[in-house]
Amino acid sequence: MLKEESIKKSMIDIMVSAKRNIEDKYILDDENAIIVVHSDEPTCYIMIHEKLVGGKLLEINRWPLRSYYFGSIHDITVIKDLDLFQVQNVGGEFNALYNYKEGKFVVPQDTWGLIESGRGNSILKKYNGFLATFTIRSDYEEGDVYAYDNPMTGERIVESFCVEDGHYYAILDIDGTIRGNKLFKGHSFSKITEIIDLDKYESLDDFKSERKQFCNNQKQKRKQAYYQLLETRNDGSISPYLDSEVAKVLNIKLK
């Protein structure tokens, strides 16, 4: 039996390795493999789940990646005891969970900004789940960021109207559900300041949309207050600070 399994594993490895233009590969078991190929699309890379069936490789699923990290996380990507493949996000971290036995996402891409099992699966062992987090920010628009040189110091000042609502955390069960249907808001998971009951919302997306709208509204208020300040002051400066008052004390004429 062990000899037969070894032959099967060798077969899928050989068949996958024989494919052209493979950037990376994960041999998951005697039937399943995930390969990484380059894409000409803006997504840059594509992950493909292939399964050995009747001596042939069949494509089960595929998904895009905006970037791919070829570093040390390769060895911690697969959690074999749970049949889970952790899918990368931008920057060599994980933000989705894929069950390769069932051929489906347990947690879809981009639902969370980051999903962590912890070093040596410490979080997974402690909570029997994953620590997931996301941050909500206002949408970026042209004109949200501006820059100028401070007339006294010559320092280049960059300012932004963008609003960040904060960091949200949750414990995800193995099946991807949010434990207790609760979110935790805080500066970190060690500094939680608010608990959100998602039962009060139709879905997680509904909650995120509400907070996104809040951030966008606050951003517009910041912009409006800034332009009202410039109009009231009417001294030609685009600085939101008291540069003109400092210049008076230093007897410096602003340009």
Side-chain angles (χ1 to χ4, degrees):
M1 184 66 180
L2 290 175
K3 187 175 181 181
E4 289 180 2
E5 287 186 5
S6 178
I7 293 173
K8 286 182 180 179
K9 287 182 180 180
S10 297
M11 183 183 297
I12 190 171
D13 198 347
I14 291 170
M15 293 180 71
V16 165
S17 300
K19 287 177 169 287
R20 290 186 174 184
N21 302 321
I22 291 180
E23 300 285 339
D24 204 351
K25 65 178 181 179
Y26 299 80
I27 306 301
L28 305 173
D29 56 23
D30 59 346
E31 295 180 334
N32 296 281
I34 288 177
I35 63 173
V36 181
V37 298
H38 194 269
S39 171
D40 292 330
E41 301 297 324
T43 50
C44 296
Y45 293 94
I46 297 174
M47 275 187 167
I48 304 172
H49 173 203
E50 296 194 332
K51 187 170 185 176
L52 184 60
V53 180
K56 295 182 180 180
L57 284 176
L58 299 182
E59 182 175 317
I60 304 300
N61 208 338
R62 65 165 54 204
W63 54 88
L65 294 175
R66 291 190 293 274
S67 67
Y68 182 76
Y69 183 74
F70 288 92
S72 57
I73 67 168
H74 188 288
D75 296 334
I76 62 172
T77 297
V78 183
I79 305 177
K80 291 198 173 185
D81 291 345
L82 302 176
D83 303 326
L84 290 178
F85 182 87
Q86 301 181 91
V87 180
Q88 290 189 25
N89 65 359
V90 177
E93 297 173 319
F94 306 116
N95 75 340
L97 299 173
Y98 181 78
N99 187 307
Y100 55 85
K101 290 286 190 182
E102 298 179 2
K104 67 178 184 180
F105 278 93
V106 174
V107 180
Q109 290 176 290
D110 301 324
T111 301
W112 303 89
L114 177 63
I115 297 176
E116 298 179 273
S117 60
R119 184 182 295 274
N121 287 334
S122 57
I123 293 174
L124 184 58
K125 293 173 183 176
K126 184 174 183 178
Y127 301 116
N128 192 32
F130 299 84
L131 178 63
T133 182
F134 62 81
T135 302
I136 296 179
R137 300 179 179 87
S138 55
D139 293 315
Y140 177 77
E141 301 172 298
E142 186 175 354
D144 280 352
V145 177
Y146 64 97
Y148 63 94
D149 295 322
N150 181 277
M152 273 69 69
T153 65
E155 180 183 356
R156 186 66 171 174
I157 307 296
V158 179
E159 295 289 343
S160 172
F161 298 113
C162 297
V163 174
E164 183 176 288
D165 187 41
H167 305 294
Y168 293 89
Y169 302 85
I171 298 298
L172 302 184
D173 288 325
I174 304 304
D175 62 0
T177 56
I178 300 172
R179 187 167 300 173
N181 213 23
K182 297 290 195 300
L183 292 179
F184 310 100
K185 183 179 181 181
H187 299 294
S188 71
F189 196 54
S190 299
K191 299 178 180 179
I192 298 302
T193 57
E194 184 180 350
I195 298 177
I196 296 93
D197 185 357
L198 290 177
D199 287 338
K200 297 179 180 179
Y201 299 85
E202 291 185 7
S203 65
L204 176 61
D205 285 340
D206 182 43
F207 170 77
K208 291 165 77 172
S209 295
E210 180 183 292
R211 299 311 299 172
K212 172 75 78 171
Q213 187 59 52
F214 170 80
C215 289
N216 286 334
N217 291 341
Q218 291 299 111
K219 184 185 72 172
Q220 294 305 323
K221 288 180 180 179
R222 283 189 182 183
K223 278 188 175 181
Q224 184 178 7
Y226 170 72
Y227 288 116
Q228 285 178 345
L229 171 66
L230 296 190
E231 184 177 352
T232 301
R233 196 169 56 196
N234 193 28
D235 63 357
S237 172
I238 66 170
S239 169
Y241 304 108
L242 299 176
D243 295 344
S244 58
E245 298 302 314
V246 176
K248 288 178 184 178
V249 174
L250 299 179
N251 196 24
I252 295 174
K253 189 174 181 179
L254 297 180
K255 296 180 180 179

